Amino acid sequence: MSAQASRTGVWFIGARGSVATTATAGCAAVAAGLHPATGLVTETPPFAGAGLPPLASLVFGGHDVTDCPLPKQAEALAAGNVLPHGLPSAVHAELAAADAEIRPGGPFPGDTRTDEELITGFAADLTAFTARHGLARTVVVNVASTEPAPDPDADRLPASSLYAAAALRAGCPYANFTPSTGLRAPALRDAVAEAALPHAGRDGKTGQTLLRSVLAPMFLQRALPVRAWSGTNLLGGGDGAALADPAAAAAKNAGKERVLADSLGMVPEGQVHIDDVPAMGDWKTAWDHIAFDGFLGSRMVLQTIWQGCDSALAAPLVLDLARLLARADAAGLTGPRPELGFYFKDPDGGPAGLAEQFGALLDFAERLREQA
């Protein structure tokens, strides 16, 4: 196989957003040896020899509804201390090449195109991208802003499902790193089955929920009843603005609650609040307050504070998912991949605890290694 034919496409929905920009810049930096592969699980020893596409072989493109060029977006992220200073200049050529492969998304306000026209156009963009670069395959990853849960009586598909349908039509493996509907739209059920493509989960597990997925099994395994679990998120940037919409915030919080329900077998009292604080930029502070019972009914409390940058947490995970789904597709695996539940709040089956999910992921790596 030629070097060109062995390359893999990564097509981001929300390609000019913070997560996609960080992933594109970060992939170039790690591939060039400018930075270590911190956070990339697929670059750890258990995945050696599993046949994953090398980072240097990834070619980036995507859809977006904004027009700020990737190099400018990367400069803004560096100014906000999300990317290292100097990195946007060091990988400018790679960012510019990816930006040249970004196509207008939709639907835009006042857009008169039908769902079928939008899906056909998006699929054509994917097919042309794959052909233009002579790629072995292209993996679609949704990292766009969270959309509100759709009205079940709506006669149009939500935007996330239009992109997902286009991925199916273009023969592309698909991952949904957002809480948005994506492939879960009932109208796409038959198309998902007929496409016979590997796809994974919904809603990436990066910060607060990652910690919840570790702590909740601890309480259960130590027979410590959780009475209440409340949380608050303070964040800015595009996510903060998007989640200021109560409907979008409700869709996001559903995943956080799901992790507790799956791990504890019940949903304790308490809610998660999300507050938009523009001054925080792409940084986030997440606080959890956990009330639980100890021996002889003693009342106890555990509080946690998580401070970090969601873009930097998410970027290596979406690169992992793109590589794993590309390899699954090359191995002839189809349908939902519960082995990738380690990355999601709302996985496609499989165990609920993070440790068990990691075990399933390692088993998957061994399976891929045996087939390599």
Side-chain angles (χ1 to χ4, degrees), residues 303-316:
Q303 296 186 45
T304 66
I305 298 177
W306 177 287
Q307 293 178 305
C309 173
D310 262 0
S311 300
L313 290 165

Side-chain angles (χ1 to χ4, degrees), residues 161-202:
S161 296
L162 297 173
Y163 292 119
L168 297 178
R169 189 169 297 183
C172 298
Y174 173 88
N176 186 4
F177 208 71
T178 80
S180 303
T181 305
L183 288 181
R184 303 282 179 91
L188 297 184
R189 188 175 295 116
D190 290 343
V192 171
E194 292 169 4
L197 292 163
H199 56 88
R202 186 170 67 168

